[in-house]
Amino acid sequence: MTKTHRIALIPGDGIGGDVTAAAWAVLQKAAGSAGFVLEGTEFPWSCAFYRQTGAMMPQDGIETLRGFDAILLGAVGWPQQVPDSVSLHGLLLPIRKSFVQYANIRPHRLLPGVQGPLRAEAFDILCIRENTEGEYSGAGGRIHQGTANEVAVETSIFTRTGVERILRFAFGQARNRRGKLASVTKSNAQKYSMVFWDEVTHQLAAEYPDVEVTSYHIDAMAARMVMAPETLDVVVASNLFGDILTDLGAAIQGGLGYAASANINPDRGAPSMFEPVHGSAPDIAHLGIANSIATIWSGAMMLDHLGETDAAAAIMAAIERTTASGIGTIPGKDRTETITAAILAAL
């Protein structure tokens, strides 16, 4: 019996539609070659949907998505139409939190033929970002708005459960790679939450004697990613610090056009979500020049998560053959359809 994976497709805003369509074409070809079926259902949830309905997704959106094996998302956000705080808290964060997608995974390495801004080329970093609590917990409020006495309070929430599970996940990734883990905090300044994170890291390290653990402050890690990225293997950080470091990681790997990501529920009790990091890029929307590689790479991560490892590896090899030939290596040079066609041909 042919294996079927049910995928929820959320193209979203701006270039999201183009890159999702490109990734879906590549995923379908890879699935056909490997002998399994990807069954996709598309949802129009986006800022345009918000302007029509007053919500980023329907009230039963989470329950609708729960029945799928995975979610492939293009990009969400159009600040000129809908505030980012609305689009983020109306779609992405509810999906991540409702499905306990606590591990955000972002690979950072140079693809063949891609020139990064650094002198270093031989780096391969896997960033693991805590994805459901920390600085993005949404706890806080504002009072006396619009007055001289206005107060805004934003409270970070770090639970032992949340910190321990993301660290265990990162230790496991390091064990399966090169055995090095960098844990990132700012414990010299944040003496409660970040000291707590450091303490849990130290406690868990005893259970992973085969993993070399080093603790860094966030500013020192930012410098190391620029000056000596080849010394890093797996990097784990809180929601905010991980968010910042992974954008830096995208920069050193040549740009956001190559920045793939996965929002994982490691317990597999709910669907995981896969998306490029680049956002909706309203300035180039509908020009047909968006780089589809980040979304296709995210799709390969999705197949790997679903157990289709051979198909995932075939897509990554096709991406590498494409960039090695000079296609998709310079922002704006090649059209989305040109990059996608080359990857399809390489498959």
Side-chain angles (χ1 to χ4, degrees), residues 2-5 27-28 30-38 303 308 311-312:
T2 303
K3 191 170 187 179
T4 299
H5 303 287
L27 290 166
Q28 287 286 13
S33 298
F36 62 91
V37 174
L38 291 176
L303 294 188
E308 305 294 352

Side-chain angles (χ1 to χ4, degrees), residues 126-325:
L126 190 69
C127 279
I128 308 295
R129 165 189 169 190
E130 200 291 315
N131 211 30
T132 58
E133 56 175 49
E135 303 90 348
Y136 294 175
S137 297
R142 293 169 64 182
I143 61 172
H144 309 309
Q145 287 182 247
T147 74
N149 297 317
E150 184 167 0
V151 176
V153 176
E154 191 91 32
T155 302
S156 299
I157 297 177
F158 290 86
T159 65
R160 179 168 288 275
T161 295
V163 174
E164 186 169 310
R165 69 188 180 187
I166 193 63
L167 287 171
R168 286 191 183 279
F169 183 83
F171 271 108
Q173 294 296 309
R175 174 174 277 173
N176 292 331
R177 283 170 52 97
R178 301 192 302 279
K180 296 173 63 178
L181 178 65
S183 178
V184 182
T185 65
K186 188 61 176 170
S187 50
N188 58 342
Q190 295 175 287
K191 64 179 183 178
Y192 301 117
S193 60
M194 296 286 96
V195 168
F196 170 59
W197 180 294
D198 283 350
E199 289 174 354
V200 177
T201 302
H202 180 72
Q203 292 164 9
L204 293 181
E207 300 180 29
Y208 299 86
D210 52 329
V211 176
E212 177 188 342
V213 187
T214 307
S215 292
Y216 294 90
H217 290 147
I218 177 64
D219 41 357
M221 175 54 67
R224 178 167 288 269
M225 285 183 69
V226 172
M227 300 301 294
E230 70 282 354
T231 65
L232 299 169
D233 181 17
V234 176
V235 175
V236 62
S238 68
N239 216 332
L240 173 62
F241 291 168
D243 193 358
I244 295 168
L245 288 176
T246 49
D247 270 15
L248 177 57
I252 67 173
Q253 73 182 119
L256 290 170
Y258 310 104
S261 80
N263 303 277
I264 298 293
N265 176 314
D267 301 328
R268 298 177 183 269
S272 294
M273 179 169 63
F274 303 82
E275 58 173 319
V277 177
H278 52 55
S280 61
D283 56 325
I284 62 168
H286 312 304
L287 295 181
I289 59 171
N291 191 337
S292 54
I293 289 176
T295 315
I296 295 170
W297 191 339
S298 300
M301 295 175 74
M302 181 181 75
L303 294 188
D304 189 66
H305 177 74
L306 293 172
E308 305 294 352
T309 54
D310 290 343
I315 290 175
M316 289 309 303
I319 290 173
E320 291 177 354
R321 283 195 290 273
T322 297
T323 57
S325 72

